[in-house]
Amino acid sequence: MKSDMKPRLALIPLLAAVLFTITNARADEPSVLRQVMQALGSDMQVVTGGIAREDWQLVAKTAPLIAKHPQPPLSEKVRIIRYMGAEMSLFKALDGETHQAALELGKAADEQDGAKVIAAFGKLQQTCLACHQRFRSGFVQHFYGTDK
Ligand code: HEC
């Protein structure tokens, strides 16, 4: 009796580890969008640095990375679409505004027009803010169960 209880008991930590992994993975989803956002955040910092040094080439090179940021994989998109429901079209429209504003920023940088670059950068930041104010906290609550 004792000798065949042991292997079964030994499975308990394994099962616990598997469950922990599964629940943790769920709590961390969707993570690709967050990575995309973090990349957008650092691209914006590169742009700020470029503006400070009047390095319009750097700004012109970085703006398209913001405009054409990668998208999460299909499986994650499906979860986002399911969560957004009817709001998905607004979410997409706001993403489109960021895309458009980043293209404008790139154009201004190509023209090496400092004032125009700064105005375009401000507009771009407003498009980030618009989506964050509307969606971020609900999104984070829903997918991570946390406030931030
Ligand atoms: C269409 C909506 C939308 C737009 C536009 C948008 N974001 Fe986000 N952003 C989100 C959502 C949703 C989150 C929360 C994602 C998460 O925590 O998984 C987020 C989170 C972030 C974060 C925090 C990431 C972290 O580690 O918690 C940063 C930084 C960020 N965005 C930068 C930007 C920048 C910069 C722009 C504009 C160039 C931008 N975002 C435009 C929806 C958007």
Side-chain angles (χ1 to χ4, degrees):
M1 193 64 180
K2 259 186 189 166
S3 58
D4 67 59
M5 282 292 281
K6 265 189 189 156
R8 282 190 211 167
L9 284 176
L11 282 179
I12 290 173
L14 178 68
L15 278 175
V18 169
L19 275 177
F20 180 79
T21 310
I22 292 170
T23 47
N24 244 23
R26 289 199 63 88
D28 279 336
E29 286 166 0
S31 56
V32 180
L33 182 74
R34 187 168 274 190
Q35 284 165 34
V36 170
M37 288 297 152
Q38 285 164 356
L40 284 182
S42 48
D43 288 340
M44 293 293 272
Q45 284 176 347
V46 171
V47 169
T48 314
I51 291 172
R53 278 176 270 114
E54 293 165 274
D55 185 347
W56 310 127
Q57 241 185 338
L58 179 62
V59 177
K61 204 174 70 184
T62 310
L65 304 179
I66 297 168
K68 296 177 208 137
H69 65 78
Q71 298 196 356
L74 191 62
S75 58
E76 186 172 308
K77 261 197 205 168
V78 168
R79 282 197 304 275
I80 294 172
I81 291 168
R82 207 183 288 149
Y83 162 67
M84 290 286 166
E87 303 264 47
M88 193 61 204
S89 57
L90 176 59
F91 189 78
K92 274 198 172 156
L94 291 172
D95 187 48
E97 281 177 25
T98 292
H99 172 85
Q100 197 52 42
L103 291 182
E104 298 293 327
L105 173 68
K107 256 190 251 164
D110 282 336
E111 292 167 23
Q112 316 210 329
D113 184 335
K116 210 170 165 183
V117 167
I118 290 169
F121 185 63
K123 264 181 101 177
L124 174 59
Q125 284 183 308
Q126 277 167 18
T127 70
C128 311
L129 183 67
C131 188
H132 292 158
Q133 283 184 328
R134 179 67 188 80
F135 289 111
R136 193 199 316 214
S137 68
F139 190 96
V140 171
Q141 273 283 345
H142 177 80
F143 286 105
Y144 305 90
T146 57
D147 287 334
K148 270 191 185 166

